[in-house]
Amino acid sequence: NILTFLFFVKGRGTMNIQRLFHVFLVLSFFFLCVQSASIYDVLKGDSRFTTLVQQIDLYSSVKSILSNSSGQYTLFAPINSAFQPTPDLNNIESRLHYSIVDGVFNISKFEDGQLLFTKLYVSDIGGRLPVRITTNDTATYVQWSQLNLNNTLMADNGHIYPLSVLYHIPATTSAVLSEVSQFKSFNDLVSKAGLSSQFGGSNTTIFLPSNMAFNRTYNGTDLTSLSASQLSQLLRGHLVQGTYYASNFTGNSTSVVTVANTTLSITKGPNGTLYVGDSAIIYSNLLTRTGAVHVIDSIILSSIDNQNDTSSLTVRETLLQLNATAFVRAVDSAGLGDHLNTTSSVTVFAPVNSALAGITLSPQALRAALRYHLSPDSFTFSSLNGNRSTVVDSYLNLTTLAGATQKLRVFRSDMRGALVNNVTVVRSDVVASNGVVHLISHVLPPPSNLTQVLLKAGGFSRFIQLVTAAGFENMTVMGETLFVPDDSAFEHLPELENLLMSDSPDAWQLAQLQKAILHHILPSLVYDARNSSGRFTTFNNDTLDVYRLGDDLYVSNTFGADALVLESNILAAEGVVHRIDHLLITKITLNRTIDAVLSSMPSFSQFTSALSSADLLSPLSGAGPFTVIAIADDTFPSSLNESAARYHVLDGTVDLWTNQNGLLPSRLTLASLGGYAQRLKLSKTYAGVFANGLTQLEPGVEASNGYIFISHGPVPLPSDVDALVRSVPDFDAFAEAIDRYESSVANGTVSVRGVLRLLSRVTVFAPSSVAFDRVSPQLSKYLSSSAGSNDLGLIINHHIYVEPSQSNSSTRYSDVFGNSNSSLMMRSQESVSVRRSQVANSSDDVFTVGAAYVTGPDMIASNGVVHSIDRLLIPTTFKFTLDKALSSVDDARLVVTAIKGTGLAAILTSADSHVLFVPNNAAFNAFNSNNTGTTSDVNAVLQLHIVDGSQTLEENKGLSPRTSGYVLVGGADSQSVLLLNTTYFNSVQSRNGTFIDYRSGALAYANVLDLIEADNGKAYLIDRVLSPPAGSPPVVVEGSGMSGLTILIIVLIIVAILAAVGFYLYRKRKLAQTERLLD
């Protein structure tokens, strides 16, 4: 701008010069604006953080972190109001460090109790102090300060989460114990034992019982009556030296040693709850400045147990030591004393003395009752680990179990701790020389009969009604397993009671009822279903498969009914019950046509009327077969037009009990499908039966001419292909690619979206997110660039097929393709092969298109169909050359330009393979600044970076570049490359030799920054130019070029000519001025 001013002052400026300098000004301003903004920059530019910035400016240690562009941080930033009305700036520098977390985190994905480690180092714990993330259904907090996750600010070096408070550094453990009222009971004992200083010490972890833990019964033990040494030992058994957070307890079991020299085993339940022995951690990671606290629901007694070691005592002696004297006397009087003395591996569930007070039984009843408290299985609750529930044998044999022994159900409850048959275990896992002792709060009564058990468990009233209606109420059950649906399961078969459970069922109805019940009963005992899997046979010879899906257990039968096991091992005198959420039947068979069945179903009257108005009801009296999706009255829409009604009546049936999917034509025909019927897809998954993958259907009624599914709402009419693609989250990347291409093409180009919306009988093979994940980063980046727009359009159109208007074929649903290859001419004007073939030794088939598998066939649209595929379809006319691959690598821009400017451009587009070592821009800039060679010189250096053929850089293996006498060697793990002069290495082997002392003779050494792969070779991005240093034998390449002196002479000649022309114009102007003066 100064130069512009001078030109105008002197009268020699022109408007073009002015514009030129203004362009420089605008560009300078633009580059200043787009410079990176650190967290500090963002804070400084936001008026909400004025006070925070003032505080940061006072402390260089904080400012340097937040200004560091090479780091990645998360800042919990207090806004101005957090410092009002009177700012609490005590220890502010440390508190600011405590607001900074290393790394960038998506807090919305965090679980409750998760920790983030801050920049604040605390010597009391010997490490950095974390902050705790707390979440619930409505909000997320950091150190109890609520976060607004929608108000996150982004900087180049991290994220900023604004806070309305400046939170404090946590208090010491000593302060937490004395100031939190929920810990008063424990803290009072700590004070009484004189251990306050030890529990308030540095770098400690406390497993801290809450006040509620002191309300539990511990075999009648009065903790306040313990001796001083016993109390000290008990309390110290809750204290661990060292700071342990919940994240330190990994795997199924972790052990830590207390200051009382006892070992605590921390285990994890299937729902993630942590246990310390039998005590559940009800609040983890209560942070203090001097350690960590985990709140538990019961007192840990193992430390005083160890003072009275029972491992050398018999079970009898152990019971006496635990004061279970009443149980010992009862066992002796029943003649079962040997189990306590000599039987090995016995487990005893011994009621405390108060539980046995006042109980009087006959000798026979007493013996049976006590045998139910003894188990031949050696069991400890600590062995449950991740399994929350299991069963163990007892010594009680029952004729009602066909002579089998009755089981005991042992499990853990988050609220009640260890339980056996729902009775609380007050002391567990006391190991004796010949067994294990557990003290329990009450006597264990043997299980009642099946009906009483079902009534007591609750939620089985409708199944009991079903049993009664079937005449099975007096059926003898002996040693059997029942998968019993709870009451909610009957909502999945709403017509069951209407059709079958009449007051006086006829013989056919009775047979249907009995068959429905027998589907749920196994003639053998199968306990512990939550941990079982396998195939079992029911009373009516149906097959039940028990299988796992993630953490859930399912039961299914040959009719395709799936039920989730909600509760295992409900024990009865005659067998065992497992609660399930669905009936294990999926259809009720009636000997009537569909129209008659619908007319007899009062809860579907509106749907039946709609079919009648559309002249669809009477045809359903024909031979069929038909499938009808009936909408229940309680969810029937206010208006159902004829088209929608026709879409609920289908020709044909699908046997979903043996097949997972089926396509059926509806009674709705559409011009957008060439006059063909609109299809509807029925599919069965573990979650149930669905129409078009969206509307869940309930099992219904099998009529004599078809099947009726029950729906609680209409099946929506399909949208067009474009809308369908955009409605499926798995196609987001494909939809974004279409939009990117559409935005880059010139006006007049055929719109892809227009094709998908408006044309008839469109078939799209849509790549899923998995397909896009398989695309190499270089190809993905190229297709996202403006240079790759045309190729992107070619690839998109290679996924789209439109049936020719003159064709009589229907839309290309999966069932159109036979077991032989079919060929479709895609919109890319290149064909792809499509094939369906059956998998060997299976009823399944495989649907492929090109090299891709169809993973989600037959997504129904109003003008076609979409099939999901697992990889992109690449037309053979598209070649991803090195030229295209490197065009999107900005850091290779200078070398690519040099390659094209030195006669080597054909290498980038050649069909022949090459390996290129590409110096990045910084390296090539440094090379240019230190070298003034000719084009030929640059060409010669570039030739050192080019290897002909398709080869790979490997450690200690050589590649021969185009320039003879040199070799390129892969360094450690192929993360580097060395240029060697083979003149100095007679022992160098170019392919697989070991290079002795090669570093001393290396002419250049570079790190590999990235690998770029293309169809015609590879390019390794490196951080320096592999040029021979001074004194090395010259690199000779055939060809000629101008020398530096020649170029200098040419430049001087050009300057001289320009000076002469300038002088001539100047003289001419002066002469013209002189002539005007003379005039």
Side-chain angles (χ1 to χ4, degrees):
N1 280 272
I2 293 172
L3 290 173
T4 304
F5 172 76
L6 293 175
F7 270 107
F8 275 89
V9 168
K10 296 297 184 179
R12 295 185 174 90
T14 67
M15 188 57 68
N16 287 335
I17 294 175
Q18 184 188 30
R19 288 173 179 167
L20 175 64
F21 279 94
H22 281 172
V23 167
F24 279 119
L25 176 64
V26 172
L27 288 175
S28 301
F29 180 74
F30 170 76
F31 283 114
L32 284 172
C33 288
V34 299
Q35 282 183 355
S36 60
S38 65
I39 291 176
Y40 177 77
D41 297 329
V42 173
L43 294 174
K44 199 166 185 179
D46 194 322
S47 60
R48 294 177 298 170
F49 301 108
T50 305
T51 308
L52 175 61
V53 171
Q54 291 172 355
Q55 296 301 318
I56 292 172
D57 286 340
L58 296 176
Y59 303 103
S60 59
S61 61
V62 179
K63 184 176 179 180
S64 63
I65 294 172
L66 300 181
S67 303
N68 180 12
S69 59
S70 62
Q72 287 289 292
Y73 309 105
T74 297
L75 174 67
F76 299 105
I79 59 178
N80 293 335
S81 61
F83 297 88
Q84 302 297 330
T86 302
D88 178 8
L89 302 181
N90 183 42
N91 205 20
I92 185 66
E93 183 178 8
S94 294
R95 290 165 66 188
L96 291 175
H97 279 98
Y98 192 50
S99 300
I100 306 171
V101 174
D102 265 328
V104 177
F105 300 95
N106 185 351
I107 305 294
S108 64
K109 303 292 186 183
F110 277 19
E111 298 178 355
D112 185 49
Q114 194 157 344
L115 302 182
L116 295 175
F117 286 85
T118 69
K119 283 290 189 181
L120 179 62
Y121 180 87
V122 178
S123 59
D124 284 335
I125 63 173
R128 293 185 298 160
L129 190 64
V131 291
R132 188 184 197 273
I133 304 297
T134 304
T135 64
N136 56 37
D137 294 337
T138 59
T140 300
Y141 303 83
V142 55
Q143 292 299 97
W144 299 108
S145 301
Q146 186 169 351
L147 295 171
N148 182 353
L149 299 181
N150 296 320
N151 196 21
T152 307
L153 302 177
M154 306 296 182
D156 285 337
N157 63 337
H159 288 181
I160 303 170
Y161 291 94
L163 288 180
S164 58
V165 298
L166 173 60
Y167 52 71
H168 285 270
I169 298 170
T172 63
T173 302
S174 178
V176 169
L177 284 174
S178 60
E179 294 174 11
V180 179
S181 60
Q182 290 93 328
F183 307 144
K184 183 177 187 304
S185 298
F186 186 81
N187 191 51
D188 287 348
L189 290 181
V190 169
S191 300
K192 178 180 178 181
L195 298 175
S196 296
S197 60
Q198 188 167 5
F199 275 83
S202 299
N203 199 22
T204 58
T205 300
I206 303 177
F207 296 99
L208 179 59
S210 67
N211 289 346
M212 294 294 293
F214 288 82
N215 296 331
R216 295 182 60 170
T217 301
Y218 298 94
N219 193 28
T221 302
D222 181 5
L223 298 176
T224 61
S225 66
L226 294 175
S227 67
S229 62
Q230 286 178 319
L231 178 60
S232 174
Q233 183 73 1
L234 172 73
L235 296 174
R236 284 158 48 85
H238 295 76
L239 179 65
V240 176
Q241 189 64 45
T243 301
Y244 294 91
Y245 301 112
S247 57
N248 296 121
F249 307 134
T250 58
N252 286 334
S253 180
T254 305
S255 295
V256 293
V257 178
T258 70
V259 297
N261 201 30
T262 58
T263 300
L264 299 179
S265 179
I266 295 91
T267 58
K268 184 176 291 187
N271 65 345
T273 301
L274 290 171
Y275 290 87
V276 186
D278 292 328
S279 303
I281 295 179
I282 56 178
Y283 189 90
S284 63
N285 295 333
L286 176 59
L287 301 178
T288 78
R289 190 184 311 165
T290 52
V293 172
H294 305 289
V295 184
I296 56 178
D297 67 347
S298 62
I299 298 169
I300 301 171
L301 301 174
S302 57
S303 57
I304 57 174
D305 287 343
N306 287 352
Q307 287 187 314
N308 301 291
D309 185 13
T310 59
S311 61
S312 61
L313 304 179
T314 65
V315 168
R316 169 189 289 276
E317 293 167 336
T318 300
L319 286 167
L320 293 174
Q321 182 167 304
L322 294 173
N323 197 33
T325 54
F327 179 77
V328 174
R329 286 196 300 269
V331 170
D332 287 343
S333 66
L336 299 172
D338 286 346
H339 288 295
L340 307 182
N341 293 322
T342 59
T343 302
S344 62
S345 301
V346 66
T347 296
V348 176
F349 297 92
V352 296
N353 291 341
S354 58
L356 291 168
I359 294 180
T360 57
L361 295 173
S362 66
Q364 184 178 0
L366 177 62
R367 183 178 177 86
L370 291 174
R371 289 177 69 87
Y372 196 49
H373 291 73
L374 305 174
S375 171
D377 299 333
S378 180
F379 169 78
T380 60
F381 281 91
S382 61
S383 66
L384 283 177
N385 289 329
N387 298 318
R388 298 285 304 284
S389 168
T390 191
V391 292
V392 295
D393 274 318
S394 74
Y395 278 104
L396 178 62
N397 294 81
L398 296 177
T399 56
T400 53
L401 291 175
T405 58
Q406 181 58 276
K407 301 283 186 177
L408 292 159
R409 183 180 184 229
V410 287
F411 59 104
R412 276 176 168 166
S413 163
D414 288 340
M415 298 298 296
R416 297 176 58 193
L419 300 167
V420 53
N421 285 11
N422 214 34
V423 171
T424 301
V425 177
V426 297
R427 187 78 166 271
S428 67
D429 297 356
V430 182
V431 178
S433 62
N434 63 323
V436 181
V437 173
H438 309 284
L439 295 182
I440 58 178
S441 61
H442 294 81
V443 173
L444 297 173
S448 307
N449 65 53
L450 181 61
T451 302
Q452 291 175 330
V453 167
L454 292 178
L455 288 171
K456 184 177 180 180
F460 294 123
S461 60
R462 298 184 73 176
F463 183 78
I464 294 172
Q465 291 172 14
L466 185 65
V467 170
T468 302
F472 280 170
E473 69 272 21
N474 296 317
M475 180 179 71
T476 300
V477 178
M478 185 178 294
E480 283 137 15
T481 301
L482 286 78
F483 291 93
V484 181
D486 65 5
D487 289 344
S488 64
F490 285 80
E491 298 172 5
H492 300 286
L493 283 176
E495 295 304 308
L496 183 64
E497 291 174 274
N498 291 339
L499 296 171
L500 297 178
M501 297 179 69
S502 61
D503 293 335
S504 55
D506 58 27
W508 175 85
Q509 290 175 313
L510 195 61
Q512 292 291 309
L513 281 169
Q514 292 174 349
K515 183 170 70 172
I517 293 171
L518 294 177
H519 275 312
H520 298 77
I521 304 177
L522 306 180
S524 58
L525 289 169
V526 179
Y527 290 99
D528 211 14
R530 170 128 336 248
N531 304 310
S532 299
S533 61
R535 175 162 290 184
F536 307 94
T537 302
T538 67
F539 254 114
N540 57 351
N541 291 319
D542 184 24
T543 297
L544 287 186
D545 286 315
V546 180
Y547 64 94
R548 280 198 170 279
L549 194 66
D551 290 333
D552 294 322
L553 194 74
Y554 287 87
V555 184
S556 67
N557 62 10
T558 53
F559 297 107
D562 290 293
L564 174 66
V565 176
L566 301 173
E567 182 181 4
S568 289
N569 304 327
I570 302 173
L571 303 175
E574 305 94 334
V576 62
V577 173
H578 306 293
R579 187 191 299 265
I580 57 177
D581 71 340
H582 277 68
L583 276 84
L584 295 176
I585 54 175
T586 58
K587 54 186 178 181
I588 303 164
T589 305
L590 299 176
N591 192 26
R592 285 177 282 172
T593 57
I594 288 178
D595 64 318
V597 173
L598 288 173
S599 299
S600 69
M601 297 168 70
S603 56
F604 293 86
S605 58
Q606 295 184 66
F607 177 75
T608 304
S609 177
L611 294 188
S612 179
S613 299
D615 294 327
L616 294 170
L617 186 61
S618 58
L620 296 176
S621 63
F626 307 107
T627 298
V628 173
I629 299 174
I631 308 169
D633 284 348
D634 60 345
T635 55
F636 195 83
S638 57
S639 61
L640 188 76
N641 60 36
E642 182 177 337
S643 294
R646 288 185 173 277
Y647 198 47
H648 289 72
V649 179
L650 313 172
D651 288 312
T653 57
V654 176
D655 185 6
L656 290 178
W657 327 133
T658 56
N659 299 309
Q660 298 295 310
N661 300 291
L663 287 173
L664 293 176
S666 70
R667 289 299 178 99
L668 175 64
T669 58
L670 296 174
S672 58
L673 293 173
Y676 286 91
Q678 176 70 78
R679 299 282 194 103
L680 186 141
K681 181 181 180 180
L682 294 171
S683 55
K684 184 175 77 71
T685 71
Y686 69 91
V689 177
F690 291 84
N692 289 345
L694 297 173
T695 306
Q696 186 162 11
L697 308 178
E698 301 294 353
V701 178
E702 184 175 39
S704 60
N705 63 340
Y707 193 82
I708 302 172
F709 283 103
I710 295 168
S711 176
H712 295 282
V715 179
L717 290 172
S719 58
D720 60 61
V721 171
D722 181 65
L724 173 59
V725 167
R726 292 170 189 281
S727 69
V728 179
D730 205 27
F731 298 151
D732 284 350
F734 185 53
E736 289 170 7
I738 293 174
D739 291 342
R740 191 163 56 246
Y741 170 66
E742 298 271 83
S743 66
S744 66
V745 298
N747 292 332
T749 305
V750 177
S751 167
V752 173
R753 292 196 64 183
V755 169
L756 302 184
R757 283 198 300 262
L758 304 175
L759 294 191
S760 170
R761 293 177 288 172
V762 177
T763 301
V764 175
F765 297 97
S768 65
S769 57
V770 170
F772 278 89
D773 289 341
R774 287 177 166 173
V775 176
S776 69
Q778 291 82 23
L779 177 56
S780 179
K781 191 172 182 180
Y782 168 70
L783 294 176
S784 300
S785 67
S786 57
S789 175
N790 289 337
D791 286 327
L792 176 62
L794 176 70
I795 292 173
I796 289 172
N797 281 300
H798 198 55
H799 293 78
I800 302 171
Y801 170 75
V802 179
E803 197 72 43
S805 57
Q806 68 275 15
S807 169
N808 293 323
S809 298
S810 67
T811 302
R812 299 302 175 122
Y813 303 104
S814 62
D815 59 4
V816 173
F817 301 105
N819 288 335
S820 59
N821 279 337
S822 302
S823 183
L824 297 179
M825 180 59 69
M826 312 302 280
R827 291 194 72 247
S828 61
Q829 301 306 308
E830 186 174 325
S831 62
V832 297
S833 62
V834 186
R835 179 183 177 88
R836 281 186 69 178
S837 56
Q838 190 166 351
V839 179
N841 302 319
S842 172
S843 60
D844 298 330
D845 57 11
V846 175
F847 184 13
T848 58
V849 52
Y853 284 95
V854 176
T855 53
D858 300 316
M859 299 183 192
I860 306 298
S862 60
N863 62 330
V865 66
V866 176
H867 305 292
S868 175
I869 57 176
D870 67 346
R871 64 185 66 233
L872 259 65
L873 303 176
I874 305 296
T876 59
T877 52
F878 170 70
K879 303 297 181 185
F880 187 48
T881 61
L882 285 167
D883 184 40
K884 294 177 179 179
L886 290 170
S887 69
S888 59
V889 182
D890 186 64
D891 208 18
R893 175 174 44 83
L894 295 181
V895 169
V896 171
T897 302
I899 289 174
K900 293 179 178 180
T902 55
L904 298 173
I907 289 173
L908 301 177
T909 57
S910 169
D912 297 329
S913 294
H914 297 86
V915 179
L916 274 61
F917 294 90
V918 181
N920 64 1
N921 292 341
F924 204 71
N925 265 329
F927 169 75
N928 280 336
S929 63
N930 295 322
N931 292 273
T932 57
T934 65
T935 300
S936 182
D937 295 334
V938 175
N939 178 293
V941 171
L942 291 176
Q943 298 272 16
L944 282 169
H945 296 71
I946 301 170
V947 177
D948 293 329
S950 178
Q951 301 181 52
T952 301
L953 182 67
E954 298 179 52
E955 184 178 356
N956 282 340
K957 291 188 179 179
L959 301 176
S960 299
R962 285 191 158 195
T963 307
S964 61
Y966 292 88
V967 65
L968 295 160
V969 180
D973 299 324
S974 302
Q975 295 301 303
S976 58
V977 59
L978 298 90
L979 174 67
L980 300 178
N981 186 335
T982 57
T983 303
Y984 300 133
F985 291 88
N986 296 325
S987 63
V988 166
Q989 299 177 34
S990 63
R991 291 303 304 151
N992 57 4
T994 299
F995 296 87
I996 302 172
D997 243 3
Y998 59 79
R999 283 184 181 271
S1000 63
L1003 300 180
Y1005 174 87
N1007 294 304
V1008 175
L1009 306 177
D1010 196 6
L1011 170 62
I1012 299 99
E1013 297 186 88
D1015 293 343
N1016 63 337
K1018 301 181 180 70
Y1020 292 92
L1021 188 68
I1022 56 178
D1023 63 356
R1024 68 172 293 172
V1025 176
L1026 300 175
S1027 57
S1032 300
V1035 176
V1036 179
V1037 179
E1038 294 182 3
S1040 61
M1042 291 185 294
S1043 67
L1045 179 60
T1046 303
I1047 294 173
L1048 178 62
I1049 293 171
I1050 292 173
V1051 170
L1052 291 175
I1053 292 172
I1054 292 172
V1055 171
I1057 293 172
L1058 291 175
V1061 171
F1063 181 73
Y1064 168 73
L1065 293 175
Y1066 173 76
R1067 292 295 299 163
K1068 184 176 180 180
R1069 183 177 179 183
K1070 295 297 286 183
L1071 287 172
Q1073 289 176 346
T1074 302
E1075 288 174 357
R1076 284 197 300 273
L1077 288 173
L1078 291 174
D1079 290 341

